[in-house]
């Protein structure tokens, strides 16, 4: 059993925001993460549905909250007008003609043995019964994932100073990182909300002047649109900047990694399972062997979403010689609810620890060695790793937070950094650590996972019960009051 410090004395931070002020910001985020208020939860989803259904002429799914057997359980989000059926069902001309005559259109983008259908002519709740009657077989809902972080508003993100110092640039950080070998490192794919484009987008400083994330390729296919839903209004959308934050964590942990960002989620932080599956396949085809998914979904029957699971198994099993490692955020449900894709056997799930260190002096002699789970983090025997997920600081985007989300909206300046909490920000620390070990020690991605597991420490919840999975200290968070 290791001590949980695979990279001792690395990744130290400065606290030129006073620690007490950062703790105040963290307290606001924790209050949101720990809320179990179903009324508040429904209000947020209802608000997003109103935003999303306001422009029916655009290509966007309509979020629908599915009923659950346990009224206190987590919400299940469905793409209200989309269903998935097995492609073989539509192989007969008669069935295919009947489905088309009933107003169903093949939206494409579904994986291999599945077809994704949409119908804008009937009510959303009638779509599944209708297609099941036409085909004589069950239809599966197109389930939506949400980014695994606390949402904007009182829960964050909050604007902070550069955790490496006001004058620090990415080049200076990489040059001072004694662990960073020469030459390009492995490709790490971040499947998320995308990353802002270049200056021609008409948005200022979308390429940071401090060099962070400069090398990430950008294009129409992976652009975080920032201000898009329901239409541009001068404010950042609900989860705009999430992909930038996650990518910054990977680059911080592995500064020579080749970070590639893929957009599966929109600026409200919703991603349907077929979009995630498509992005996974694209990332694999383009050479990524370390893939980070800081998003997750629950399903109606607690079974894996079929399109996503098929893609995960193909990438990790059918191409097992490619040594692919997929990392996913465990979720923020605060219980043992299974969150996909983290619950998939093909994935390494990452839960969140609280920060128990003396953040103003990270010398090894001052380390406490405590590895306690965050009470809001999802749990379960499928979790492989735990690392700090509270009060993490990383790169963010320029823009203004909407007053619809927060009574005291944040303003994010050029070269912005933010403080945010969620298992979204624990997972990319593990992805970055795998990339670092692959380049630094010549390991394959799977060997790096084994190394980290051996280096991990025993993890306990805040009642002292030992948990499955190994705890690792990589980046620092902000300690609670």
């Amino acid at each position: 059993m290791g001590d949980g410090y695979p990279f001792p004395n690395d990744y130290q931070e400065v606290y030129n925001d006073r620690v007490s002020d950062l703790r105040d910001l963290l307290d606001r985020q924790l209050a949101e993460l720990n809320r179990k208020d179903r009324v508040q939860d429904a209000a947020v989803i209802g608000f997003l549905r109103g935003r999303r259904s306001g422009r029916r002429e655009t290509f966007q799914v309509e979020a629908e909250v599915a009923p659950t057997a346990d009224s206190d359980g987590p919400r299940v989000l469905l793409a209200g007008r989309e269903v998935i059926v097995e492609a073989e069902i539509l192989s007969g001309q008669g069935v295919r003609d009947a489905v088309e005559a009933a107003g169903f259109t093949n939206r494409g983008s579904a994986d291999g043995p599945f077809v994704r259908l949409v119908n804008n002519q009937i009510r959303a709740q009638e779509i599944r019964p209708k297609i099941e009657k036409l085909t004589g077989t069950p239809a599966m809902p197109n389930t939506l994932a949400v980014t695994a972080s606390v949402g904007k508003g009182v829960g964050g993100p909050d604007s902070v100073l550069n955790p490496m110092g006001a004058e620090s640039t990415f080049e200076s950080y990489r040059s001072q990182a004694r662990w960073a070998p020469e030459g390009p490192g492995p490709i790490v794919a971040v499947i998320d909300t995308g990353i802002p484009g270049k200056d021609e987008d008409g948005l200022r400083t979308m390429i940071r002047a401090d060099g962070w994330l400069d090398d990430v390729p950008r294009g129409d296919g992976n652009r975080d649109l920032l201000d898009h839903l329901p239409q541009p209004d001068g404010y950042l959308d609900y989860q705009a900047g999430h992909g930038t934050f996650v990518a910054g964590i990977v680059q911080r942990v592995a500064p020579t990694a080749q970070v590639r960002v893929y957009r599966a989620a929109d600026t409200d932080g919703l991603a349907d399972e077929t979009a995630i599956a498509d992005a996974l396949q694209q990332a694999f085809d383009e050479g990524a062997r370390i893939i980070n998914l800081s998003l997750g979904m629950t399903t109606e029957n607690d079974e894996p979403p079929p399109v996503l699971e098929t893609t995960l198994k193909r990438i990790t099993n059918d191409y097992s010689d490619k040594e692919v490692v997929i990392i996913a955020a465990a979720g923020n449900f605060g219980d043992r609810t299974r969150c996909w894709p983290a619950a998939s056997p093909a994935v390494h799930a990452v839960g969140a620890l609280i920060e128990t260190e003396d953040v103003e002096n990270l010398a090894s002699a001052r380390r406490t060695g405590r590895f306690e789970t965050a009470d809001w983090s999802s749990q379960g025997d499928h979790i492989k790793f735990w690392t700090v997920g509270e009060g993490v600081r990383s790169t963010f985007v320029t823009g203004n937070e909407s007053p619809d989300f927060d009574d005291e909206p944040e303003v994010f300046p050029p070269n912005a950094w933010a403080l945010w909490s969620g298992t979204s920000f624990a997972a990319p620390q593990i992805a970055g650590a795998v990339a670092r070990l692959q380049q630094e020690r010549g390991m394959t991605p799977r060997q790096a996972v084994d190394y980290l597991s051996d280096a991990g420490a025993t993890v306990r919840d805040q009642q002292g019960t030992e948990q499955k999975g190994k705890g690792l200290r990589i980046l620092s968070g902000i300690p609670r009051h």
Side-chain angles (χ1 to χ4, degrees):
M1 177 73 67
D3 65 359
Y5 297 93
F7 313 115
N9 299 317
D10 292 345
Y11 308 120
Q12 296 191 30
E13 298 186 359
V14 298
Y15 296 88
N16 35 22
D17 306 86
R18 292 191 310 119
V19 172
S20 60
D21 293 337
L22 294 174
R23 280 177 165 168
D24 288 341
L25 296 178
L26 177 62
D27 286 346
R28 297 173 63 196
Q29 297 186 10
L30 294 181
E32 186 71 10
L33 277 166
N34 284 310
R35 288 186 69 169
K36 303 299 182 184
D37 184 347
R38 299 287 294 169
V39 174
Q40 183 266 350
D41 188 58
V44 170
I45 296 302
F47 171 69
L48 294 182
R49 286 185 67 187
R51 285 160 51 82
R52 300 165 72 79
S53 61
R55 297 184 68 202
R56 293 188 182 278
E57 75 279 10
T58 64
F59 177 79
Q60 55 184 337
V61 292
E62 180 182 349
E64 175 185 331
V65 183
T68 59
D70 179 2
S71 61
D72 294 325
R75 62 180 180 243
V76 177
L77 298 182
L78 308 177
R81 295 186 169 276
E82 296 179 8
V83 292
I84 297 165
V85 299
E86 294 182 9
E88 184 178 351
I89 295 168
L90 301 182
S91 60
Q93 186 65 46
V95 174
R96 189 163 58 247
D97 289 346
V99 166
E100 291 177 358
F104 287 90
T105 302
N106 185 348
R107 179 156 275 177
S109 299
D111 180 78
F114 299 98
V115 173
R116 177 182 174 194
L117 299 173
V118 62
N119 191 323
N120 291 310
Q121 299 178 15
I122 59 179
R123 293 187 302 170
Q125 58 265 40
E126 297 175 351
I127 289 177
R128 286 175 68 187
K130 183 75 170 179
I131 197 68
E132 288 175 350
K133 184 176 181 180
L134 288 169
T135 62
T137 188
M140 295 161 283
N142 187 8
T143 308
L144 300 180
V146 295
T147 49
S149 64
V150 65
K152 283 188 170 65
V154 295
D158 292 291
S159 182
V160 295
L161 299 177
N162 185 333
M164 272 71 70
E167 303 303 319
S168 176
T169 65
F170 177 64
E171 188 56 41
S172 66
Y173 176 77
R174 181 165 54 185
S175 66
Q176 293 167 14
R178 57 181 174 77
W179 64 84
E182 295 294 329
I187 297 173
V188 180
V190 172
I191 296 175
D192 214 284
T193 60
I195 190 166
K198 298 186 178 181
D199 293 336
E200 60 263 26
D201 290 338
L203 301 172
R204 59 182 179 147
T205 60
M206 290 299 100
I207 297 294
R208 301 170 63 96
D210 60 8
W212 284 87
L213 303 176
D214 249 9
D215 296 335
V216 178
R218 289 157 163 86
D220 288 339
N222 72 342
R223 180 176 296 160
D224 185 336
L225 299 176
L226 300 179
D227 175 14
H228 176 63
L229 294 172
Q231 58 191 358
D233 59 5
Y235 298 109
L236 295 172
D237 288 344
Y238 191 64
Q239 287 287 345
H242 190 274
T244 296
F245 197 99
V246 171
I249 292 173
V250 174
Q251 196 168 71
R252 172 92 186 281
V253 177
T256 57
Q258 301 178 69
V259 180
R260 301 288 184 265
V261 179
Y262 296 82
R263 186 182 69 210
D266 65 20
T267 49
D268 274 344
L270 299 180
D272 65 71
E273 65 162 298
T274 59
I276 301 170
D278 288 345
L280 274 166
Q281 189 65 54
Q282 182 183 355
F284 174 81
D285 291 344
E286 294 178 356
R289 299 297 178 259
I290 305 167
I291 302 174
N292 185 86
L293 292 160
S294 287
L295 42 78
M297 62 184 71
T298 57
T299 59
E300 287 183 300
N301 54 8
D302 205 26
E303 294 293 326
V307 177
L308 183 54
E309 188 70 5
T310 297
T311 304
L312 289 169
K313 287 181 177 178
R314 181 174 63 246
I315 290 174
T316 55
N317 294 338
D318 295 356
Y319 300 102
S320 59
D321 59 314
K322 301 296 185 182
E323 289 268 349
V324 180
V325 164
I326 301 173
I327 309 294
N332 302 332
F333 293 118
D335 56 27
R336 300 179 73 85
T337 298
R338 289 201 290 180
C339 184
W340 308 93
S344 171
V347 167
H348 301 291
V350 185
L353 299 174
I354 67 173
E355 177 57 85
T356 61
E357 308 253 328
D358 177 356
V359 299
E360 295 186 280
N361 186 345
L362 285 179
S364 57
R366 299 292 297 272
R367 287 175 159 160
T368 65
R370 296 170 62 202
F371 290 82
E372 292 183 7
T373 64
D375 39 14
W376 49 263
S377 175
S378 292
Q379 307 150 20
D381 292 347
H382 63 284
I383 295 182
K384 177 80 171 182
F385 295 111
W386 301 83
T387 193
V388 173
E390 289 188 358
V392 179
R393 292 182 287 177
S394 186
T395 49
F396 202 61
V397 298
T398 301
N400 298 332
E401 189 176 47
S402 171
D404 289 335
F405 304 143
D406 196 336
D407 293 336
E408 300 178 7
E410 292 281 338
V411 175
F412 296 97
N415 308 317
W417 292 80
L419 180 144
W420 216 346
S421 299
T423 56
S424 270
F425 315 126
Q429 295 179 55
I430 302 300
V434 171
R436 172 177 169 175
L437 290 169
Q438 184 178 351
Q439 187 177 22
E440 184 181 83
R441 303 199 175 201
M443 296 178 174
T444 67
R446 292 180 184 173
Q447 287 172 338
V449 166
D450 292 340
Y451 177 92
L452 291 171
S453 184
D454 290 340
T458 298
V459 173
R460 300 182 186 278
D461 65 20
Q462 293 180 41
Q463 288 70 48
T465 304
E466 186 172 331
Q467 302 294 301
K468 294 280 188 172
K470 298 294 186 65
L472 297 168
R473 292 281 176 179
I474 302 175
L475 299 187
S476 298
I478 304 300
R480 303 181 181 200
H481 276 298

